[in-house]
Amino acid sequence: MRMTPITLKKNQYALRAVFELAKRRGKGPTKISDIADAQSIPVRFLEVILNKLKGSGMIDAKRGFYGGYYLTRAPKQIRVADIMNFMQAPPKQEMCAACLAKSKCPYGHRCAFSAMWNRVNRAVLQVYNETTIQDLLDNDRQLQGKHRSPRKRHFKTQQGRSL
Amino acid sequence: MRMTPITLKKNQYALRAVFELAKRRGKGPTKISDIADAQSIPVRFLEVILNKLKGSGMIDAKRGFYGGYYLTRAPKQIRVADIMNFMQAPPKQEMCAACLAKSKCPYGHRCAFSAMWNRVNRAVLQVYNETTIQDLLDNDRQLQGKHRSPRKRHFKTQQGRSL
DNA sequence: AGTTTGCTGACCCTTTTAGTCAAGAAGTCG
DNA sequence: CGACTTCTTGACTAAAAGGGTCAGCAAACT
């Protein structure tokens, strides 16, 4: 059962790039090409994306020999929503906030569907809002089996609250 | 704050068309052109959509003079999810079920993001699943101010459970 | 100076989505 | 039957969005 593309590739790339920067936090700036390699993203495309993302203030760049990109905030302070919202193209013309139609629909907010679209909207945003980059890092560590400490862990599966 | 297109136009049209048929249920078949007029959908395009939708079994058509489309089930028995799922093109190649990437991603289900994508997925599907065409009809009646009975109604706002 | 790395806008190509058309099949009416 | 209406269907075209590339420039380091 397939879903309509909730995620543009551009957005996915942006998210993965930030994720990668988070992984390497504290080790100085990371070159675009390194991020691209690590996350299998076309370099040229990533240039564009990272450059745009810089405008959000959550990452910054340094040029020259030891240059590269780096996070400006702790991974815990960056929510997936921050990235997703920022990456969205600024709405060109007025659009229908309720039903997500590209142009303002004739029915306005009085259409029978708006309540449902709003619920969908909220549901998605909620997930984005409550997920931080730190959460993703934690997830990653767990999946890679790189436990910080071999301390006993009662199973926390995906179902149970791992994210 | 804009969302990525959760809804294709084709899907929206399909939903609106079914909705319109539901509205006219019991009054005999409805012509494509009437549906198109009522819902502001390009006729030619709607032809294609309705024809496809017929394959789902939730609507059927009759040709000739008094012909048109009609629902085969009660609006209460049709969930938005039924329409959305059916309208999705069958996944061409294997795709990554977890992260919704078009092609199967190299990380498989072990990527740090899959848990999040799944949550998004489930959240959206849940809304689609718990919304029936009947719900939309009810919504519509309420918005149009066409209360069946002027009986007193304690406020049920969007928040409260109107959908 | 020369190298490394990011910056930036313009450009292009492919896929998807949206929409159109025309000829045909199946009913209805008289 | 013949005229008319309405769905049927596959092929076709147009437009937009998305994904990706490039070249030349601007900093920063050695």
Side-chain angles (χ1 to χ4, degrees), chain B residues 2-32:
Chain B
R2 186 179 153 242
M3 282 292 315
T4 21
I6 285 180
T7 34
L8 268 20
K9 219 143 200 181
K10 207 200 316 176
N11 293 185
Q12 290 246 14
Y13 288 163
L15 178 57
R16 299 227 300 264
V18 170
F19 172 75
E20 188 64 28
L21 287 180
K23 256 177 143 173
R24 298 167 181 237
R25 188 169 161 76
K27 297 178 187 163
T30 309
K31 292 191 293 186
I32 295 183

Side-chain angles (χ1 to χ4, degrees), chain A residues 9-98:
Chain A
K9 220 147 199 178
K10 209 198 316 177
N11 294 183
Q12 291 246 14
Y13 289 163
L15 178 57
R16 300 228 299 266
V18 171
F19 172 76
E20 188 64 28
L21 287 180
K23 256 177 143 172
R24 301 170 179 233
R25 188 169 161 77
K27 296 176 187 163
T30 309
K31 290 192 294 186
I32 295 183
S33 57
D34 285 349
I35 303 175
D37 283 353
Q39 292 287 332
S40 307
I41 303 171
V43 199
R44 300 289 194 178
F45 198 21
L46 187 55
E47 285 182 11
V48 178
I49 294 170
L50 284 178
N51 187 11
K52 175 172 185 180
L53 206 46
K54 206 176 58 150
S56 76
M58 71 182 84
I59 67 177
D60 203 355
K62 200 186 154 193
R63 301 195 223 195
F65 199 85
Y66 286 117
Y69 277 92
Y70 53 91
L71 289 188
T72 56
R73 287 189 244 155
K76 196 157 195 168
Q77 305 305 318
I78 303 178
R79 297 166 306 157
V80 173
D82 297 326
I83 299 171
M84 294 309 201
N85 289 337
F86 182 81
M87 290 304 289
Q88 293 311 128
K92 300 174 187 184
Q93 308 142 233
E94 202 61 30
M95 63 169 299
C96 178

Side-chain angles (χ1 to χ4, degrees), chain B residues 106-145:
Chain B
Y107 302 88
H109 296 274
R110 295 248 165 241
C111 84
F113 308 98
S114 65
M116 183 184 71
W117 295 133
N118 281 329
R119 290 180 74 196
V120 170
N121 225 340
R122 276 195 298 264
V124 174
L125 283 191
Q126 187 177 350
V127 175
Y128 288 166
N129 271 313
E130 59 189 37
T131 308
T132 70
I133 299 297
Q134 183 62 54
D135 292 328
L136 297 173
L137 281 179
D138 294 345
N139 252 21
D140 190 51
R141 294 232 171 76
Q142 195 173 327
L143 285 169
Q144 302 311 317

